[in-house]
Amino acid sequence: MDSKQLLNRVTQQLKQASKDSTIQAGDNGAIAHEPTVEQKEAINQIFELFRFNYHNQFLKAFPDLDTMIMAKRLWAKLLADYSGQVIMRAAEKTVKDSTYLPNVHEVLMRCDIADVHGLPSTHAAYMEACRAPSPKREYSWTHPAIYYAGRASDWFFLANEPESVAFPVFKRNYELLLQRIQQGEEIELELPKALPEHSSVPLPRKEQQERLHALQDLLKD
């Protein structure tokens, strides 16, 4: 891709951003979908990362401050569903994979929450949930989120329905858990308490008496 093609691609994005950049407000004048401070900081850091790694391409794509501001608005709009941490890591992965200045859609495709947090992909998690033996709680899960997504989907349902039916249900439950993890929640598996080595249930009265008599007989000898 030459510089002219790159500039045309960015120009098209910015034209769309200009259409979308009109701030939508309710009756009370509140701004809708305002990006968080964390998201704004992440996008600013990403643009600095791009400036450093794609210096000449970057300057051609964003020749002035107004153009850059419009681009950042577009990024904030399209990446609004992801935390600053996820956005930043996705951008870093994009830089590693790309020789040319990435666009927002290339970063968006890498905003995989599971991958960012070191969890299996949704389909890999589904396969693990289907193949895990019983008792499910005692299985050595790759991550507790897989167990809870499987339990919420119903183990019998996963085992007896075809993937075309069961996977969408599991996918929804797993992604809900991923969103909770993204928001900083720690999900841990509560293991059942181990049984005591010795039973604390008292012996029947008759057996107690028989053992007492046997002990008395031994003492007589």
Side-chain angles (χ1 to χ4, degrees), residues 35-210:
T36 66
V37 173
E38 182 195 22
Q39 289 172 324
K40 290 179 181 178
E41 290 178 350
I43 291 173
N44 287 333
Q45 290 176 25
I46 288 169
F47 273 67
E48 288 304 309
L49 178 68
F50 288 174
R51 187 200 301 272
F52 180 80
N53 285 276
Y54 308 98
H55 184 72
N56 292 333
Q57 297 178 39
F58 185 91
L59 293 179
K60 289 179 181 179
F62 310 110
D64 53 61
L65 182 60
D66 288 340
T67 303
M68 188 181 302
I69 290 174
M70 290 172 63
K72 288 183 178 181
R73 286 177 180 172
L74 172 66
W75 282 61
K77 178 182 178 65
L78 296 181
L79 296 170
D81 293 334
Y82 300 96
S83 69
Q85 179 191 28
V86 171
I87 296 170
M88 194 67 207
R89 291 189 182 180
E92 290 171 351
K93 288 195 297 182
T94 307
V95 168
K96 291 179 181 179
D97 297 338
S98 180
T99 306
Y100 300 101
L101 178 66
N103 60 36
V104 64
H105 299 288
E106 291 171 306
V107 174
L108 185 61
M109 288 189 298
R110 290 172 171 80
C111 285
D112 187 325
I113 302 172
D115 180 62
V116 167
H117 291 278
L119 277 73
S121 67
T122 305
H123 191 264
Y126 167 76
M127 296 305 296
E128 181 175 341
C130 291
R131 294 171 177 171
S134 296
K136 305 292 188 183
R137 183 180 286 270
E138 296 179 12
Y139 177 68
S140 181
W141 296 97
T142 303
H143 192 279
I146 304 173
Y147 166 79
Y148 285 116
R151 190 178 72 174
S153 304
D154 186 77
W155 299 117
F156 184 84
F157 174 79
L158 294 180
N160 291 277
E161 293 294 336
E163 182 174 329
S164 60
V165 176
F167 178 65
V169 176
F170 178 88
K171 180 176 183 289
R172 179 181 180 277
N173 290 325
Y174 188 58
E175 289 180 347
L176 287 173
L177 287 163
L178 291 180
Q179 290 175 11
R180 289 166 56 181
I181 292 172
Q182 179 188 338
Q183 293 167 1
E185 182 176 343
E186 293 185 6
I187 297 177
E188 298 180 355
L189 189 63
E190 296 179 1
L191 296 176
K193 295 181 179 179
L195 294 174
E197 294 183 4
H198 302 287
S199 175
S200 58
V201 179
L203 295 171
R205 183 174 184 79
K206 181 178 179 181
E207 187 172 347
Q208 290 182 24
Q209 292 176 341
E210 289 176 352

